Every structure is written in C-alpha cells, then in structure tokens.
Amino acid sequence: MPENHMAPQFFTTAPGQPRLAYFSRAGLRGPGLFWLGGYRSDMRGSKATFVDAFAAEQDRSCLRFDYSGHGESEGAFEDGTIGLWAEQATTIFRALTEGPQVVIGSSMGGWIALLLARALAKLGEADRLAGMVLIAPAPDFSEELVLPNLPEKVRETLARDGVWRDDQNIFTQEFFDDGRRQSVLGGALRTWCPVRILQGMRDDAVPWRHALKLLEHLAADPATLTLIRDGDHRLSRPEDLDLLRGALMQIPSPQ
C-alpha cells in the first residue's frame, strides 16, 4: 500500500496530552533508526521516507513521529515549545524503541536530537545512542537565528499579547522563553556517540557557519561536518540523499 494511504499509529505520552502520530518499522539488524523532523515539517516528508526506505533495505527498525501540532498529531502548534517537543521525543524513544539507535535530526530536529542525548545521559542511558546524523541542524535557532531578525513591531506584539501571527508564521513569547532554557550552545556539549553533520552552503534558513559553531561545541565527541557547496536547507535532492545514505552507513554498529 502506498504510504500516503497508510494510517499512522498513535501514542500518548501522558494522560490528557495530545496523541502523537507515528510509523514504526520492525527490523532484524541494528542499530535502529529514529527520525526527528524539523519545525513545521512532518514524518511523511522526503527525507523521512528516504530514511524509512533505507531501513527497509537494510532490514533495520525505524521509528518516525510527528511532534504535537505537527503533521497528523493532535495539539495546537502554538502550544508547542522546544522543551515540550524534546520531552515527547525522549518519551517515545524510550517507550517505542529497543537497543541502540541512530538518531537522524533535520533542522530543528537536530536541536531536539541534542536535547534527547542530554536527557538520556541524565537517565544513565547514553549507550542507547549508536550515533547521530544531523541535517542542517538548527540548535538554539529561536534565539540565534529567528529573534535577531524579527521586526520591532513583532517583538512589541509578542511582549504585549504573548503571540504574533501572520498568514505564514506564528510565534509565541513562551516559545522564545523556552528556547533560552533549552540552549545547548552555551558550553561544552556531549552526545556520547559519533556525529555526522550535513550542511548546505546555500542554506537560507541555517547559515553554514552555524553548523561549524555546533561542531566546535562537540569537541569531545567524534564528529564530522560535510559542507555541500550548492546545497540548500532542504537537502532533498538525489545527490543530497546519497550523502545521507553515506553518513548512515559510516556509523558503526555497537559491539
């Protein structure tokens, strides 16, 4: 059955919380793959489905889901924050995956992946991460990339009303306040696993120097950065997906 006709399963992180839509693929080989999408994206996107197809080809498990307010999950988008979505990712990761996993985070999903690593380390479960592949990662993007470029009128509206919206965007003051609390670039950063970063140099959403800054903060982890000279933010062209395949193949299976 074509994927666009497949119905997702649903998971609730806690009573009274929105139901989160997900797809889960079983596999006999490890490590499994765990997909984390970007801001306002969903688990049926081209990179997410590529990762799932790669898992099928390799007979590996794969789990992808939509954060609350995204895709087919319940909840209002404006109620979401980085901390909430990271908490959802951690809960689903621990509840619905087994054994070591390679986490693939795209754009905002890269930030969520780093917060997932932090949460697992605090729980004594850092060994659940076999590796990370981060595609145009956007850690701390609310404070470093979005807020500095907001017009003064938007800032005033946020301060007065707590929310600002137009035909394409919606921001809340809580989103920015929480983003500061979830910052990962303020000091040394650990994932406790190999990290592969793919970054386009024609990315108009996340400058390639932001990926370089992340690499500098990952000084204690085995991390590499691949810059794609003509790559944009999506990195969804066939040649980009070939690089993603290569990055996934580079991460060794845990002994």
Side-chain angles (χ1 to χ4, degrees):
M1 179 183 297
E3 177 171 301
N4 58 355
H5 296 300
M6 292 174 57
Q9 296 176 274
F10 288 89
F11 177 84
T12 303
T13 59
Q17 294 299 306
R19 296 191 310 152
L20 304 180
Y22 73 94
F23 286 117
S24 180
R25 175 183 296 281
L28 297 176
R29 298 174 56 195
L33 305 178
F34 186 76
W35 171 260
L36 291 170
Y39 186 76
R40 301 185 75 171
S41 68
D42 63 69
M43 62 180 174
R44 294 185 189 264
S46 57
K47 292 188 293 294
T49 54
F50 175 85
V51 168
D52 182 72
F54 174 83
E57 172 192 308
Q58 298 286 316
D59 195 14
R60 294 164 66 173
S61 65
C62 180
L63 193 140
R64 49 200 167 111
F65 79 103
D66 288 331
Y67 315 111
S68 60
H70 289 69
E72 293 158 86
S73 287
E74 296 178 346
F77 177 80
E78 56 265 37
D79 292 337
T81 61
I82 297 297
L84 174 64
W85 295 329
E87 182 180 344
Q88 291 170 354
T90 301
T91 302
I92 282 186
F93 182 94
R94 299 182 73 221
L96 300 181
T97 71
E98 296 181 358
Q101 302 288 313
V102 175
V103 176
I104 306 101
S106 177
S107 192
M108 182 186 77
W111 189 359
I112 301 293
L114 297 169
L115 291 170
L116 170 62
R118 177 182 290 177
L120 292 174
K122 287 181 179 179
L123 292 165
E125 300 177 11
D127 59 349
R128 291 289 316 280
L129 293 181
M132 279 189 186
V133 177
L134 306 181
I135 307 163
D140 297 9
F141 77 89
S142 56
E143 187 75 9
E144 298 208 3
L145 303 180
V146 177
L147 195 59
N149 295 311
L150 288 182
E152 187 60 32
K153 287 186 177 181
V154 175
R155 294 168 180 258
E156 292 173 356
T157 302
L158 281 170
R160 182 184 67 245
D161 302 334
V163 62
W164 174 86
R165 71 183 77 213
D166 64 11
D167 292 338
Q168 296 181 325
N169 299 293
I170 178 168
F171 293 119
T172 66
Q173 187 62 50
E174 176 57 23
F175 177 80
F176 290 106
D177 293 343
D178 178 77
R180 295 186 192 96
R181 294 192 292 268
Q182 307 302 330
S183 173
V184 295
L185 297 180
L189 179 60
R190 293 300 309 270
T191 64
W192 309 99
C193 67
V195 181
R196 304 288 180 263
I197 303 172
L198 304 176
Q199 175 68 49
M201 295 186 74
R202 292 185 178 177
D203 189 331
D204 60 0
V206 181
W208 64 267
R209 288 179 178 83
H210 196 69
L212 186 60
K213 182 176 182 178
L214 171 59
L215 185 68
E216 292 170 344
H217 281 77
L218 290 169
D221 290 321
T224 63
L225 168 62
T226 300
L227 293 174
I228 301 116
R229 186 179 297 277
D230 61 346
D232 61 12
H233 185 62
R234 295 186 70 246
L235 291 181
S236 295
R237 302 169 302 174
E239 57 266 41
D240 300 325
L241 297 178
D242 284 342
L243 289 172
L244 174 55
R245 170 188 290 274
L248 291 169
M249 294 293 289
Q250 287 173 11
I251 295 177
S253 299
Q255 301 298 318

